[in-house]
Amino acid sequence: MIRRLLAVSMLLTLVWSFAVVSVSAATTGNRSWLRIMHASPDTSPVDVFVDGQVVLSNVGFKTVSDYLNVPAGSPTIAMAPTGQGVKEAVLTTTPTLVPDKAYTLVVTGLANVGASIYEDNLAPPSSGQARIRVIHASPDATGADVEVIGGPTLFQNVEYAKASPYIEIAAKPYNLRVVANGTNNAFVWVPTMQFAAGTVYDLVVLDRIANVMVKVAAYTPSASGSGGTSTSAVLGAPSTMPPTGASSSSTLSLLGLGCIMVVAGFIMRRRWYTRLASSPTQTQY
């Protein structure tokens, strides 16, 4: 009887271990982070759908969303005029999202709306540094350079619907301007842009050339790497983003309980063999 109970205990432990592994994979290995940026001046506010489920409502031009936790792989991202439902989508795309990575999807274009997706680097910048990148979303502007006024050129010839590589710069105020590549023709001036240490910035050039502007989307990773805070010049209000690739507390609880079951099984088994060794031999007649 005791041997049978021990066997059942070990079997339950194995089943529990498989369950823990499955839960861990589901919570950490099959999700990505995605934010949406509406940069199409001719497109009305939209609702955003992921695999047919609405995740954002009434997203207007120049809006940058917070990061959304979405399925990794190739989820279907659709955008439809606000209130009209996914069947009226004006844009549908299936980007490839790597698990535990973060991305920015930018809606671009005029009459013919399109989307570009960029992988984001949300790791904390070096000490005393800010990390910045330029996204060109102005449909009738040429390739753009971003310069420090009276100083160096930070980015050169960033083309429409493209993003520059990231660079790190000293955290302090800068007077910037965006010019047509290789010229002195300024699209827009960005005076006294304050870059904070430990923050990741996207400088988004958007709207038609006659009204071109720069919008700033910022993300500040936490010092522990367990999450961070995202803000933008459009939304203004901060919001906390869950940690990218971190294990959930429920998974840790399951792992702990599984370990307890394993240890308990071994203790029961050891006590049983100890009792057998100490018991007198009985002879039956």
Side-chain angles (χ1 to χ4, degrees), residues 2 61 75 82 88 176 178 185 190-191 200 205 207 214 227 247 255 276:
I2 299 296
F61 176 54
T82 296
E88 301 298 324
L176 303 176
V178 182
N185 180 23
V190 188
V200 181
V205 183
D207 211 343
V214 173
S247 299
L255 287 171
L276 286 178

Side-chain angles (χ1 to χ4, degrees), residues 54-277:
V54 64
V55 294
L56 295 169
S57 298
N58 200 32
V59 179
F61 176 54
K62 300 182 291 188
T63 297
V64 183
S65 78
D66 296 330
Y67 281 98
L68 308 171
N69 189 220
V70 301
S74 299
T76 299
I77 313 298
M79 300 175 198
T82 296
Q84 295 189 22
V86 68
K87 292 183 178 180
E88 301 298 324
V90 296
L91 173 68
T92 301
T93 183
T94 53
T96 299
L97 307 181
V98 176
D100 298 329
K101 296 287 187 180
Y103 299 87
T104 296
L105 188 149
V106 182
V107 182
T108 57
L110 296 173
N112 296 318
V113 66
S116 301
I117 191 161
Y118 312 102
E119 184 177 335
D120 301 339
N121 180 357
L122 302 184
S126 303
S127 178
Q129 301 286 298
R131 183 182 299 118
I132 64 175
R133 173 179 70 178
V134 173
I135 296 176
H136 189 332
S138 177
D140 57 354
T142 62
D145 299 345
V146 178
E147 304 174 342
V148 177
I149 298 173
T153 298
L154 301 179
F155 302 95
Q156 286 187 311
N157 197 26
V158 182
E159 298 179 348
Y160 172 64
K162 301 291 184 182
S164 72
Y166 285 102
I167 65 170
E168 290 193 356
I169 59 175
K172 62 179 183 179
Y174 291 83
N175 293 315
L176 303 176
R177 68 174 188 165
V178 182
V179 303
N181 174 240
T183 74
N184 198 39
N185 180 23
F187 297 156
V188 62
W189 301 72
V190 188
T192 319
M193 175 65 207
Q194 176 67 57
F195 292 109
T199 300
V200 181
Y201 293 89
D202 279 310
L203 308 181
V204 187
V205 183
L206 74 163
D207 211 343
R208 290 180 174 86
I209 191 67
N211 302 306
V212 69
M213 64 189 75
V214 173
K215 290 297 180 180
V216 180
Y219 177 83
T220 305
S222 70
S224 65
S226 61
T229 301
S230 59
T231 60
S232 76
V234 177
L235 299 178
S239 60
T240 300
M241 172 182 161
T244 300
S247 299
S248 67
S249 59
S250 60
T251 301
L252 293 177
S253 299
L254 289 174
L255 287 171
L257 186 55
C259 290
I260 292 172
M261 290 182 67
V262 172
V263 172
F266 279 113
I267 292 175
M268 289 175 63
R269 187 172 184 177
R270 185 173 180 181
R271 287 181 177 178
W272 167 246
Y273 282 117
T274 300
R275 288 180 181 178
L276 286 178

